[in-house]
Amino acid sequence: MVFTHSLPLVPVPVSATAGEGRMPVTAATRVHGAAAVATLLADAVERRSSIRIATAAQRTAEGEPASGDLVLRIDPDMAAAEGYTLTVGDTAEVVGADEAGLFYGVQTLLQLLREDEDGTWAILRADIADAPRFARRGVMLDVARHFFGVADVKAFIDGVSALKLNHLHLHLSDDQGWRIHIDSWPLLTERSSGTSAGGDPGGFYTKDDYREIVAYAASRHMIVIPEIDLPGHTHAIGVAYPDLVEAPVLNDSLIAESERLGQPLPVAGENYLGWGVGHSSVRIHDERTYRFVRDVVRELAELTPGPYIHIGGDESLGTPKADFDLFAARATAIVVEAGKVPIAWHEMGSAEDIAEGTVGQYWGSTTPAGAHAEEAARFTARGGALIMSPSNVAYLDMKYAEDSPLGLTWAAFIDVRAAYDWEPTGILEVPDAAILGIEAPLWSETARTFDDVEQLVFPRAAALAEVAWSPQQSPARTWESFRERLGALAPLWKAEGISFHPAPEIPWSDR
Ligand code: TNX
């Protein structure tokens, strides 16, 4: 198949050929097929063009697709999971290998919908066959440092699932707050959810809220991974249940950094409003700690249809190493007992005996330093695999550039090109097959509003989505091609109300 760079698609498909001209979309256009996704498509076309196309459910009697109609169907014989084909000629037909593939084909179709100079609407003719490179294409939202409610999380899901990202990791607890109701330990939300970093308002999800998020994510083919961060990042647990955590450990860098930022130091029993890390630890040698972990993991597992529970493990500077390793082994075993696959930040690879099959999440640099790479490799020695979140390219909370109003700087400045130009394999000394894919975390110390979240996530999530989805060898996997294709997403993002950062290196298009 001939490749053209001219189709405005992100992530770039496995193969795509532009056809001649366009297929008009008008009020007479109908969409045939699978009701749920047909409605999603019709709603998105309307938001973009103000044209309301009819779904076949409303017009079943009219039968066969006519010229100009849209057809959606699933062909279970198609091989690649999450794959699809899209053919736009006199009709536009999306064929998914499965429900997810059909959804992704519809997202591609929506990127081909363009307004002509005379104000009419059409879909660019094309012949596309597509499927993901990595099964794991993730994004993380930190709702602990700043809380974001159900409506915001749904909007987030809409924006990132349209880029074919399929895992949503929710960072549900940290020093600054506990964000999910746990029936067996009710004081967590009662006492430790009221504030966010900087003294901003907090919040938490009831179990019904959380189920609503999980169901919405599933309808956009995203698996939700809940994280409870342990044994460090646990100051908020101690505000609710003082006997579960040690006294804060105030190291020199925490004191200096808090002073520089004008932030308070952590005080046992009081909600923590600063950003410092590494000062808290649950009590490792107290059996009550494990009763707590078991209860929380059990209640989270009940809310989680997906296979994973993330148990944290990062930056436990307040926990002695032997204690940390002991905790890592016990906590990952508890997740396995609850019937889920544990995920842990890569530091837990320091433990000889983390549970078999635990998945590691690597957040070191693309040029690994210190023990990070070794810790990460341990997961494969224990039959697990790795998710790549290198902080110098995949961290959505880093500033784009020196003058960015939002974001941190400790890992790097990450402009759109830095988020785009990297390769997830070959960073760690593990077989390529051990790399499940990538995840782009959005830590929310500086993101106070959902608008802030969107400014940091878009457009970099699009760059990361292409790293995760598109074939490494594709001729269109170049910065020059990407920046043009990314620029063409602007009208779609505007129609969807996404407040993206208008990065100056991208030629944003008006139509
Ligand atoms: C490091 S990297 C953290 C988070 C912070 C983030 C800020 C990692 C697993 N943990 O606690 O929010 O830096 O960039």
Side-chain angles (χ1 to χ4, degrees):
M1 233 174 208
V2 188
F3 226 103
T4 77
H5 297 192
S6 57
L7 291 169
L9 300 173
V10 176
V12 72
V14 172
S15 83
T17 311
E20 286 288 309
R22 299 158 179 239
M23 186 192 98
V25 172
T26 68
T29 300
R30 294 175 305 170
V31 50
H32 301 255
V37 69
T39 304
L40 274 178
L41 172 58
D43 290 348
V45 168
E46 186 173 13
R47 285 194 297 276
R48 180 82 189 282
S49 67
S50 303
I51 296 168
R52 184 68 204 181
I53 61 178
T55 53
Q58 294 164 264
R59 301 251 202 121
T60 36
E62 299 198 10
E64 289 304 294
S67 174
D69 280 0
L70 314 176
V71 180
L72 310 179
R73 66 184 176 88
I74 288 178
D75 177 359
D77 293 335
M78 256 173 80
E82 302 182 287
Y84 67 91
T85 59
L86 167 58
T87 316
V88 189
D90 290 334
T91 61
E93 186 177 34
V94 185
V95 183
D98 46 28
E99 299 273 348
L102 187 60
F103 177 79
Y104 295 137
V106 164
Q107 302 310 319
T108 300
L109 182 69
L110 286 166
Q111 292 185 358
L112 293 176
L113 175 66
R114 317 296 306 184
E115 185 179 17
D116 270 324
E117 273 161 35
D118 61 3
T120 60
W121 288 83
I123 299 171
L124 303 184
R125 290 217 166 90
D127 201 345
I128 294 169
D130 202 8
R133 176 180 175 200
F134 289 108
R136 160 80 55 148
R137 305 177 305 278
V139 66
M140 187 200 86
L141 183 61
D142 171 7
V143 295
R145 272 52 176 275
H146 278 93
F147 180 70
F148 300 97
V150 175
D152 287 343
V153 177
K154 287 181 176 176
F156 187 79
I157 289 168
D158 283 336
V160 296
S161 64
L163 295 167
K164 305 183 172 73
L165 297 173
N166 66 351
H167 286 72
L168 172 66
H169 167 186
L170 290 175
H171 185 74
L172 292 168
S173 75
D174 213 298
D175 293 310
Q176 295 79 1
W178 183 280
R179 308 300 183 194
I180 175 110
H181 187 73
I182 300 293
D183 295 327
S184 54
W185 298 79
L187 300 183
L188 291 166
T189 43
E190 193 175 316
R191 300 207 177 140
S192 295
S193 69
T195 50
S196 286
D200 288 326
F204 70 91
Y205 306 120
T206 64
K207 286 193 167 174
D208 280 345
D209 289 341
Y210 194 80
R211 287 190 194 97
E212 193 177 331
I213 290 170
V214 168
Y216 193 83
S219 74
R220 271 79 179 153
H221 302 282
M222 295 194 87
I223 290 174
V224 178
I225 301 165
E227 178 190 358
I228 296 303
D229 203 349
L230 297 164
H233 293 270
T234 43
H235 183 90
I237 296 172
V239 175
Y241 296 100
D243 56 347
L244 289 176
V245 302
E246 304 287 356
V249 176
L250 305 182
N251 63 56
D252 291 347
S253 88
L254 173 69
I255 294 170
E257 200 46 18
S258 302
E259 207 157 286
R260 190 179 70 79
L261 293 165
Q263 294 182 348
L265 289 166
V267 176
E270 292 178 16
N271 291 128
Y272 177 53
L273 307 179
W275 295 346
V277 297
H279 49 81
S280 54
S281 177
V282 292
R283 294 196 176 145
I284 306 293
H285 298 285
D286 187 339
E287 279 310 303
R288 190 167 141 84
T289 297
Y290 301 95
R291 210 163 349 124
F292 170 80
V293 176
R294 206 168 276 120
D295 287 343
V296 169
V297 166
R298 187 191 65 244
E299 292 195 33
L300 284 179
E302 284 164 9
L303 291 170
T304 302
Y308 303 105
I309 289 187
H310 200 308
I311 203 77
D314 58 320
E315 302 172 320
S316 292
L317 312 175
T319 319
K321 167 145 173 33
D323 284 0
F324 178 79
D325 288 358
L326 175 73
F327 182 85
R330 290 197 66 175
T332 53
I334 286 171
V335 174
V336 172
E337 273 167 38
K340 297 295 178 185
V341 177
I343 305 182
W345 296 106
H346 71 245
E347 288 101 313
M348 277 200 180
S350 73
E352 290 287 334
D353 48 0
I354 45 170
E356 285 279 343
T358 300
V359 170
Q361 183 166 7
Y362 176 75
W363 61 268
S365 140
T366 46
T367 48
H372 290 197
E374 239 167 78
E375 287 165 351
R378 165 96 55 205
F379 290 92
T380 59
R382 298 286 291 170
L386 286 149
I387 300 164
M388 298 301 287
S389 301
S391 48
N392 62 323
V393 291
Y395 265 32
L396 295 169
D397 67 315
M398 292 298 127
K399 284 181 184 286
Y400 288 88
E402 209 131 9
D403 61 358
S404 298
L406 301 168
L408 302 177
T409 57
W410 67 265
F413 293 111
I414 303 179
D415 60 15
V416 183
R417 185 168 190 167
Y420 184 76
D421 265 339
W422 66 285
E423 165 52 34
T425 63
I427 293 171
L428 301 173
E429 286 178 26
V430 300
D432 289 358
I435 305 297
L436 295 175
I438 76 167
E439 181 182 294
L442 189 275
W443 302 100
S444 61
E445 287 93 334
T446 68
R448 303 178 62 196
T449 65
F450 188 64
D451 196 80
D452 293 347
V453 169
E454 290 189 323
Q455 286 283 310
L456 288 164
V457 170
F458 301 95
R460 288 183 293 197
L464 292 154
E466 183 150 315
V467 172
W469 177 281
S470 303
Q472 191 186 359
Q473 302 308 337
S474 163
R477 268 287 274 123
T478 67
W479 167 247
E480 273 313 313
S481 165
F482 177 72
R483 59 189 282 280
E484 298 282 341
R485 290 181 284 109
L486 179 61
L489 287 189
L492 174 60
W493 281 353
K494 283 183 188 155
E496 294 295 345
I498 294 175
S499 172
F500 62 95
H501 167 61
E505 63 271 38
I506 305 301
W508 299 107
S509 67
D510 295 330
R511 188 166 48 226

